[in-house]
Amino acid sequence: EVQLVESGGGLVQPGGSLRLSCAASGFTFSNFWMHWVRQAPGKGLECVAAIKEDGSQTSYVDSVKGRFTISRDNAKNSLYLQMDSLRAEDTAVFYCASLPRGSGSYWGQGTLVTVSS
Amino acid sequence: DVVMTQSPLSLPVTLGQPASISCRSSQSLAHSDGNTYLNWFQQRPGQSPRRLIYKVSNRESGVPDRFSGSGSGTDFTLKISRVEAEDVGVYYCMQGTRWPWTFGQGTKVEVK
């Protein structure tokens, strides 16, 4: 069974940092691009970062460029998102997901990040 | 960025009746490799999203055949042939042709 389990969310003050982790199992993690997708409370979905299978290429949405860093450790089947200079508008549930162009999309259960003083 | 626009945003349905959701993109989603990377996701209340359709019309494994996708270029449609109670939720289209991948606003499907 495929599982993606996120952790690391919580309450952080504006300007603070947080590191999210995602543990993958049940599929060949190193064969997939991986993504972080966020959903603000009561809102829609936004794909914020992506990383290539071997970690050699990353992409970010403009609103998080320079503040967020996506990385992975294929030996540990893990995906990470380092979030710095957090803002109130970053408050959201963050999902770890595989979004291949072909078949086989998997999502975690999400972890809530709240940025507030 | 490619803007994805869904309609309607709210869709009251009668169980057993068909339903249809439209999705339009601000640019053609045809990729230079010949494919069109248009996806449909379902998010049931309190759950994570689940992909139903990829590359316009391909159903993910385990997705009931009452769900179908069609379209090309900038205009796409998700159809449910006969709505069941478990289909209640929010449906999103998403383009995976040009980064950043972008979602539509979502269409809330609810029972009348």
Side-chain angles (χ1 to χ4, degrees), chain A residues 39-70:
Chain A
Q39 186 169 36
K43 302 296 184 182
L45 300 166
E46 180 182 37
C47 195
V48 298
I51 186 167
K52 195 175 180 180
E53 296 94 331
D54 62 0
S56 63
Q57 186 179 338
T58 58
S59 299
Y60 301 92
V61 70
D62 282 350
S63 59
V64 309
K65 274 181 189 173
R67 302 188 300 121
F68 290 10
T69 304
I70 188 173

Side-chain angles (χ1 to χ4, degrees), chain A residues 35 39 44-45 47 59-60 95 99-105 107-109, chain B residues 31 37 41 43 47-49 51 54-55 60 92 96-97 99-101 103:
Chain A
H35 301 76
Q39 186 169 36
L45 300 166
C47 195
S59 299
Y60 301 92
Y95 294 101
L99 298 172
R101 283 173 158 166
S103 64
S105 174
W107 292 65
Q109 85 287 350
Chain B
H31 193 277
Y37 296 110
F41 292 84
Q43 187 173 31
Q47 294 188 12
S48 302
R51 190 165 70 176
Y54 63 96
K55 287 196 287 186
E60 287 279 10
Y92 297 92
T97 296
W99 183 261
W101 295 1
F103 290 86

Side-chain angles (χ1 to χ4, degrees), chain B:
Chain B
D1 297 358
V2 179
V3 177
M4 306 297 289
T5 303
Q6 291 181 227
S7 62
L9 299 185
S10 178
L11 183 57
V13 298
T14 300
L15 295 179
Q17 294 300 303
S20 179
I21 300 170
S22 172
C23 175
R24 289 188 172 177
S25 57
S26 60
Q27 304 172 36
S28 173
L29 299 186
H31 193 277
S32 56
D33 66 5
N35 292 299
T36 297
Y37 296 110
L38 187 282
N39 306 271
W40 288 97
F41 292 84
Q42 175 195 61
Q43 187 173 31
R44 291 170 171 155
Q47 294 188 12
S48 302
R50 161 201 183 197
R51 190 165 70 176
L52 301 174
I53 302 283
Y54 63 96
K55 287 196 287 186
V56 179
S57 59
N58 295 273
R59 275 189 302 275
E60 287 279 10
S61 175
V63 172
D65 61 7
R66 64 179 180 274
F67 291 95
S68 63
S70 63
S72 64
T74 61
D75 289 333
F76 304 93
T77 302
L78 175 71
K79 292 184 178 178
I80 310 173
S81 59
R82 292 173 306 279
V83 175
E84 298 190 5
E86 66 180 16
D87 300 336
V88 165
V90 181
Y91 290 78
Y92 297 92
C93 60
M94 187 207 85
Q95 66 84 19
T97 296
R98 293 178 184 77
W99 183 261
W101 295 1
T102 45
F103 290 86
Q105 319 97 299
T107 295
K108 187 173 184 178
V109 172
E110 53 194 0
V111 177
K112 282 183 184 175

